[in-house]
Amino acid sequence: ARQREAEQKIAAAAAEAEKRDLAGAADTLTLAAELAPQHPRAAALSEQLREATTRRAAAEAAEQLKHQIAELIGRAWQRLQSAGDHGNELALALREVNEALALDPENADGQSLKRAIEEATTARREAARIRAVIKNARTRFANGKQQAALRLLEDSQPSSYPAIAAT
């Protein structure tokens, strides 16, 4: 009778496993193992449940990683869009996209976003350099050093930057 009841529990556990109720199948299999500890079908089903649980955990981990990467890239994109004159936003965006790329180096969205952030950072630095050149030239001109001011502006490639040419 115990053997028959154990076989019924094993069959029920197998049915639960087919329905993807791994926890329920494990519980039912535990009850079957108490009735018939050395049952060969119980051992095989137990191994199948272990493998299915491992696959499910790996799939859940992969999905969680994918969600984490998407969240990091989304935040980095928002920071890039709202950076304006705030250089620290670009630095934070770069940190987040680097974190996402550390998790998935092949992520195309992350790679293109990183390039965009780096380009924005370069443009921001260049704009700051141009403002500094113009401010320095104006200060030199105001101090009576007109030739030095003109030389500074000429050395700063005025043809490439309309603001320098206008100054």
Side-chain angles (χ1 to χ4, degrees):
R2 289 175 62 95
Q3 187 71 15
R4 191 173 340 112
E5 188 178 348
E7 296 215 7
Q8 289 173 348
K9 298 272 187 211
I10 292 171
E16 289 173 334
E18 285 181 24
K19 294 178 186 175
R20 306 266 187 227
D21 180 11
L22 300 180
D27 292 342
T28 305
L29 192 59
T30 301
L31 295 174
E34 290 173 1
L35 294 170
Q38 300 299 332
H39 198 288
R41 190 167 170 226
L45 185 57
S46 176
E47 182 60 29
Q48 289 174 354
L49 285 174
R50 247 190 311 279
E51 290 172 1
T53 303
T54 301
R55 282 191 306 271
R56 179 182 280 177
E60 288 173 356
E63 186 62 32
Q64 183 179 12
L65 181 65
K66 183 179 171 183
H67 178 72
Q68 183 180 6
I69 291 168
E71 190 174 296
L72 284 167
I73 289 174
R75 281 197 317 254
W77 179 252
Q78 287 175 341
R79 288 187 191 279
L80 174 62
Q81 295 300 313
S82 66
D85 289 337
H86 305 291
N88 62 339
E89 286 294 314
L90 289 176
L92 291 172
L94 186 60
R95 189 189 76 206
E96 287 176 341
V97 80
N98 282 336
E99 195 175 323
L101 288 172
L103 297 172
D104 181 12
E106 302 299 318
N107 188 295
D109 291 339
Q111 291 173 350
S112 64
L113 181 58
K114 182 176 181 175
R115 281 190 298 275
I117 293 168
E118 289 170 344
E119 288 170 5
T121 302
T122 301
R124 185 171 165 17
R125 286 183 184 144
E126 187 62 15
R129 186 188 72 78
I130 291 169
R131 284 191 306 272
V133 165
I134 291 171
K135 181 180 177 187
N136 192 350
R138 286 182 176 160
T139 302
R140 287 180 185 186
F141 194 83
N143 289 336
K145 299 178 182 178
Q146 289 83 6
Q147 290 300 319
L150 289 172
R151 203 170 327 114
L152 178 64
L153 292 171
E154 288 170 350
D155 291 344
S156 299
Q157 303 170 343
S159 61
S160 300
Y161 304 104
I164 292 177
T167 303

